[in-house]
Amino acid sequence: MSDLFINVFSAGSAAVLTSSIVHPIDVIKTRLQVCRKTKPMSRIFKDIIKHENVTGLWKGVNAAWLREATYTSSRLGLYDPIKKVYGCTTPENTTFLKKFLAGSTSGAIGSCFGNPFDVLKTNMMTSKDGNQITSLARRLYKSQGIKGFYRGIDSNIARAMVLNGTKMSCYE
């Protein structure tokens, strides 16, 4: 197997596993962000358990898995090959700026792949009717076209570029 495939697969697998564990916190955070009234985190948690059962804490987890499998796989797995494109082939010609640009580029690419699933995940987490990912995707496409899957893409790319650029350039 190629190193690129191993890097992409490893990054995605680790991210999918991690998202499974932290997903309940993400659901609570998302509900807090869209809540009209100020409520403590514990109240949101209790409301979910009471009205949706414990499974409500994993609402949208399948979209979260797809997001991580695309976004994180790309942003981490493509970093090294992109770094080489920017000329980082030896320690002598590797600079912070080149690593930052490589991290920013791989973060931007990852955002383009992951944004559709990010949109679906947020919609699923906040829906009252517990939409299935396929029916929600069909409804979104029917009402907004392909553009609906890329709402917020500009801010998502900007965020990923800064985060991935700084993380990856400081990591080494």
Side-chain angles (χ1 to χ4, degrees):
M1 273 192 273
S2 75
D3 288 343
L4 176 62
F5 177 78
I6 291 169
N7 289 345
V8 169
F9 180 78
S10 298
S13 298
V16 167
L17 177 62
T18 302
S19 71
S20 300
I21 296 166
V22 300
H23 193 76
I25 297 167
D26 200 19
V27 170
I28 293 168
K29 174 203 60 114
T30 302
R31 300 273 181 101
L32 283 167
Q33 289 173 335
V34 299
C35 188
R36 295 189 195 282
K37 297 178 186 176
T38 303
K39 292 183 180 182
M41 186 175 165
S42 60
R43 181 77 257 157
I44 298 289
F45 174 79
K46 289 175 187 173
D47 287 349
I48 292 171
I49 298 297
K50 180 179 178 183
H51 300 289
E52 302 171 53
N53 204 337
V54 72
T55 57
L57 294 169
W58 277 272
K59 228 176 183 182
V61 73
N62 48 355
W65 291 334
L66 291 168
R67 180 204 184 262
E68 294 304 330
T70 54
Y71 168 67
T72 301
S73 294
S74 301
R75 75 179 179 87
L76 296 179
L78 295 176
Y79 173 69
D80 275 336
I82 291 172
K83 193 170 69 168
K84 289 179 180 132
V85 169
Y86 282 109
C88 299
T89 53
T90 66
E92 296 79 35
N93 65 11
T94 299
T95 64
F96 175 83
L97 179 59
K98 288 178 181 179
K99 292 188 292 185
F100 179 82
L101 290 172
S104 295
T105 302
S106 62
I109 292 168
S111 285
C112 292
F113 291 137
N115 203 82
F117 303 112
D118 211 5
V119 170
L120 291 170
K121 175 182 72 122
T122 301
N123 278 281
M124 291 173 76
M125 288 176 166
T126 58
S127 74
K128 299 282 188 236
D129 57 0
N131 289 312
Q132 295 297 318
I133 192 169
T134 52
S135 61
L136 177 61
R138 275 194 291 271
R139 198 166 62 236
L140 181 62
Y141 182 76
K142 189 175 181 179
S143 68
Q144 298 178 32
I146 198 73
K147 287 183 189 177
F149 294 98
Y150 287 92
R151 286 190 318 239
I153 188 70
D154 49 352
S155 57
N156 204 356
I157 288 174
R159 178 182 177 271
M161 289 177 74
V162 172
L163 285 174
N164 209 53
T166 53
K167 286 178 182 178
M168 298 310 286
S169 57
C170 294
Y171 169 72
E172 294 184 281

